[in-house]
Amino acid sequence: MAQCVQSVQELIPDSFVPCVAALCSDEAERLTRLNHLSFAELLKPFSRLTSEVHMRDPNNQLHIIKNLKIAVSNIITQPPQPGAIRKLLNDVVSGSQPAEGLVANVITAGDYDLNISDRSIKASVPWYSNWKDTLMELKESSLYTATTPWFESYRETFLQSMPASDHEFLNHYLACMLVASSNEVEPMEQFSKLSQEQHRIQHNNDYSYPKWFIPNTLKYYVLLHDVSAGDEQRAESIYEEMKQKYGTQGCYLLKINSRTSNRASDEQIPDPWSQYLQKSSIQNQESYEDGPCTITSNKNSDSNLLSLDGLDNEVKDGLPNNFRAHPLQLDQSSDPSNSIDGPDHVKSASSLHETKKANTGIIHGACLTLTDHDRIRQFIQEFTFRGLLPHIEKTIRQLNDQLISRKGLSRSLFSATKKWFSGSKVPEKSINELKNTSGLLYPPEAPELQIRKMADLCFLVQHYDLAYSCYHTAKKDFLNDQAMLYAAGALEMAAVSAFLQPGAPRPYPAHYMDTAIQTYRDICRNMVLAERCVLLSAEILKSQSKYSEAAALLIRLTSEQNTWKGMDSDLRSALLLEQAAHCFINMKSPMVRKYAFHMILAGHRFSKAGQKKHALRCYCQAMQVYKGKGWSLAEDHINFTIGRQSYTLRQLDNAVSAFRHILINESKQSAAQQGAFLREYLYVYKNVSQLSPDGPLPQLPLPYINSSATRVFFGHDRRPADGEKQAATHVSLDQEYDSESSQQWRELEEQVVAMVNKGIIPSSFYPTQYCLNSYSDNSRFPLAVVEEPITVEVAFRNPLKVPLLLTDLSLLWKFQPKDFSGKDNEEVKELITGEPEMIGTEVISEFLINSEESKVARLKLFPHHIGELHILGVVYNLGTIQGSMTVDGIGALPGCHTGKHSLSMSVRGRQDLEIQGPRLNNTKEEKTSIKYGPDRRLDPIITEEMPLLEVFFIHFPTGLLCGEIRKAYVEFVNVSKCPLTALKVVSKRPEFFTFGGNTAVLTPLSPSASENCSAYKTVVTDSTSVCTALISSASSVDFGISIGSQPEVIPVPLPDTVLLPGASVQLPMWLRGPDEEGVHEINFLFYYESVEKQPKIRHRILRHTAVICTSRSLNVRATVCRSNSLEDEEGRGGNMLVFVDVENTNTSEAGVKEFHIVQVSSSSKLWKLQNSVNLAENKEAKLASREKGKFCFKAVRCKEKEAAMQASERYTFADIIFGNEQIISSASPCADFFYRSLSSELKKPQAQLSLHTEKHSIEDAVRLIQKCSEVDLNIIILWKAYVVEDSKQLILEGQHHVILHTIGKEAFSYPQKQELPEMELLKFFRPENTAVSSRPSVDQLSNLIKTSLHYPESFNHPFHQKSLCLVPVTLLLSNCSKADVDVIVDLRHKTTSPEALEIHGSFTWLGQTQYKLQLKSQEIHSLQLKACFVHTGVYNLGTPRVFAKLSDQVTVFETSQQNSMPALIIINNM
């Protein structure tokens, strides 16, 4: 139980005190009424004696009484009505609320800190409470115990208002004060009348009430004298007369009213009456002249709410109102059904307020001075010492003597006590045996009742030993007689007496109390007495720290709904359950969850009893335990009830926050329950918003908004495809974020910006971001352009199982108009929403989110003015759909949000979009603390107008063959009001497309080509020129390719380089299918600027991603090797043979029937194809599926003047035609794609040879040698493919490129897959440091000096005439390098082994065996040799070994000639 102000040793004596009646004359009553008090009320503050009192017990032992208190009350002849008592108790409890603003009462129980005071009433619901502050104030004590003043008030009032009953005498009148005034005409006669009236009330059978202790009641005569108005002499003389008649012990002169009430303001006299009268002031207006208390039915306020927890609220039957005099009387005029303050009958706040005001205005004791206070105190002392106690002492002696004489026992009960306890005990019958007997009633003179009277008298004067003995004796007598009501009373008081005995000779007999409670409850059906037992016993058990037993006792009485149904049962149960809860929290190891559970039960019963504030307080206190433990259903129930009670008490903010709590937790409730919660919330919310219609929009809890998932898009939506026209993909909110692609776009933009700024990216450059999301860099203020829409995508989630309907959904924003041109606006206007001329706002009329659905809404703003925009959040009406709880299927249909839903109820509110920036992690300070950077995606700066480009692709293919050339058109449209310029396109795959060459001459189509819809420029040729090359030349600069340029950035050839507002331009665009088959994503980034330079935005971009699927076509591989023939038309060596293999790898899935090779062209600065050396008769080169063709061409060096043009980046193109049309390979688009394929080669830096340095490094030497084997010859294969599609034949055309670098090395038209090296065993030893060999490879050396033997193929010699045959042989040495070379020719055979002889045959060279020569750059030298043969046969003359070294190098390299073909000679005999 909660801590009480009084200890149980003080509480019980104060609850059972001697009762004294007061009977006043009208004049006496008038005198006291001057102080707004009755006579009994006048005495109340002074009714406790300030000193100890002595009396003698029957054994003449002195007995001390401490803190004796007497209760004086007016005589009332009607017993109090139970309904009135119940109303009084109800009002006492509702009138006693926790003090507001005090330090919260906190109990620390286990892991919990529980606030046991009513902070919640002050709109600070417990989940917002900050325990830390409270705990700091209370840190001195680890255990704080709560007080519950409403319970103590209830208990005190309950014990005081108990009606007197026949089976006990504790609250029967022992004495009667007869009060008259000295102003009376005949005071003595008045005393006689009062005495007769008292006698008539006590002894006349008409009056069953009040009850009197003994027949000869003590009468005490009091003369009241008004000092300020009365005659003191007369008063004294009357008093003397009274002493004569009644004796000095039996009368008293009490002087009051020493001042007149109009002088009350002069000095401030304390008012000791207010604390006693305040409790009853609310309920007891009948005892004043204030008129009846009104009880207004407040049923209507509850009618809109659902039935609380589904419990029926009972309205009690009317109660009989047949008495007038009792202060607890109900007003006659009020309707009986309204007489009980039931759950639906709440006293209106206004009437309570007025009553309180009226009562606080009254000054009690206005005519009394402090001297008067002392006189009253003295009067009580005198009355008790001289009158009451001697009377009690005498009565105890008389009763004792009566008992001794009647029972025939020894002189006093004391000597008999031992015999009673030790002697033969009467077996106590068990309570169950006695259940069926109603018990008997004793006449007033019965000796058993005399024992009880004596016990009660002893108890009242704190003689607990004697009282216990008497109760014990009486108990046995009553049980023997089976008088169960009397027995229960004796058991109850025996237990209390045993507990209160000084020195505690025996333990507290709790079983006596249990039997008494059971008897009262089950046999006597008297719940009032049972409740008194429980209240006393629980206090006693609590004082012994037996909290568990106390809690069990309290709970036992609360479950008896069937015994005594009704509101008083609810109020009693609520209070007892609350005390039980406090018992659980006060245990040695606090039972916090039991505390919370019983607080919930108490709150529920308080609610049924109409005690809304107490109910709310209980639920709030229990919430502290259940909160945050994952018991969501319990939390929901508590929050719902808190919301309900708060709403009833008009604490609307509390109600809203409680209902909000139910909705924002991840609820496990059913859909129907959630729907009910939501409707309740909306209803309460509506009431709140109606209170302050002009206030700020409230924050709504639903639906959830995932702020970090908010995306912002700047610009117009993409146009859909229109026939063959396809708009650039650009950026849209439908695209998923991909970090790789965003990095690629960023690189492309950097590339083009660098090129525009002469290779340097300016420091102010920041990549353009059209779509901002949680992955983008949002640290800067984004830039938006005036008159271009801003779309904000907000991610909503509905956590409930019921659909939510948002209506009139729009963005909430704040705008500051500014001029960014440099002139600062002096007046910066803050514009909040609702200025459509500044910012247009799109409103979504209906937006339905189905149950547990996540859905995004795209909301647009249209800025019409430059300045700073801040998007704050969203504003909408929140509601549910009328009727159906869920929308299955229908809700998902697109036509759903067109106003078809009828809203049941909706409230307008807002939710803010607050996005937390990224966590900072750069500096040490940021790493050690948690800091977040800004996220400014919702704070765009609106800048001046900019041009806006739209790009459309016409006839753009989705599928191509590898290498296929297709012509499409691109349309550029300027949809803004500003002209745009500097249009460029950048792509990572420049080899995929071209806009044609720079010069107009190269691009136009020839008439014949246009007939065939060919993409190429063609010329008709006659058949005679077949297989010989047609020469043309072109410069790579014309096609935008030069050393050091960026081939990825391509300027778009706009006419006049400017696109005016509203203008559009169509340009041809040639595409070439990538060489690898598969799906290719090709990114184009269009860059453009405004003609007028803007300070904020320098340029704009437009993105397009083309997806092309390529299928296999041809594979081309080529090799080049030196021709050994010396027939050189130009007179210098260096002819080469080019072998080209073409394979049709198409698997006919594209419907390709066959490929025709129509032309093979070469392009090089140094070489050109001369003619075809194909021996086949077949002029047309056709390849069906999986067929292979082989071509051989002769290549020669370009003439000197042609070669000299290489400095100007001019390439020589040579075309060898297999048909009757020449495709001019040096024109667009053939040359474009050729140059684009070359561009990756051109990017590589060229190694410059330092020929003029003093000392060549060995690397230079190697480089020179390597250069000999290099050729820069590029082959272009042009083809046509015949495709059958939908029974129509199409002709596709295309080209493949092969770049030949090295003699003898095969080159391919398609990229080769890198084969992974095989896994090697792990080596556990360290390899020696071998320097990388700087020797050139064998292939490279063999190309440094080209050797050629000239001799007759067969030689006839008459061996019979001359045994030696001499044959002249010419050895041609050709220096292929551009440096001087020293050559050594060694004619000696390498080995002399027989095998070698067999190979070479036995021939020898005659003459010099070694020659040393120096060959100048590209010089050809011939040596005349002689070979000597002795036999006929076939001989290989290729034995000379040639060594060479660069003239300025030391190292000699052998040029191996083993690779060259054997020089076979046949020697015949003649």
Side-chain angles (χ1 to χ4, degrees), residues 23-35:
L23 199 56
C24 301
S25 70
D26 293 343
E27 183 61 24
E29 193 68 29
R30 187 187 68 77
L31 285 185
T32 57
R33 277 287 171 207
L34 293 172
N35 296 296

Side-chain angles (χ1 to χ4, degrees), residues 1008-1023:
S1008 61
S1010 57
E1011 285 163 25
N1012 299 338
C1013 302
S1014 169
Y1016 290 113
K1017 179 180 180 182
T1018 57
V1019 173
V1020 179
T1021 56
D1022 54 4
S1023 52

Side-chain angles (χ1 to χ4, degrees), residues 159-174:
L159 291 171
Q160 284 175 5
S161 63
M162 281 197 74
S165 59
D166 290 328
H167 78 285
E168 63 181 18
F169 305 94
L170 289 161
N171 52 0
H172 292 196
Y173 286 135
L174 277 162

Side-chain angles (χ1 to χ4, degrees), residues 117 333 1097 1369:
S117 71
S333 62
I1097 306 181
V1369 177

Side-chain angles (χ1 to χ4, degrees), residues 458-475:
C458 294
F459 189 87
L460 289 173
V461 294
Q462 302 174 12
H463 201 320
Y464 298 118
D465 295 346
L466 190 51
Y468 177 77
S469 303
C470 295
Y471 283 131
H472 201 274
T473 308
K475 174 202 67 160

Side-chain angles (χ1 to χ4, degrees), residues 613-646:
K613 282 189 179 180
H614 285 297
L616 178 60
R617 179 183 49 73
C618 288
Y619 275 100
C620 288
Q621 287 176 13
M623 187 61 175
Q624 300 168 106
V625 176
Y626 287 110
K627 179 186 60 187
K629 298 290 179 297
W631 296 0
S632 62
L633 295 177
E635 273 192 71
D636 287 352
H637 170 78
I638 297 169
N639 273 315
F640 181 71
T641 313
I642 287 174
R644 259 301 173 69
Q645 300 290 8
S646 301

Side-chain angles (χ1 to χ4, degrees), residues 75 209 255 263 491 546 596 833 948 957 1234 1265 1271 1298 1428:
I75 289 183
Y209 202 84
K255 299 177 180 180
R263 286 178 57 242
L491 280 165
K546 295 180 178 172
T833 52
L948 185 63
F1234 160 67
I1265 293 166
V1271 283
V1298 183
C1428 175

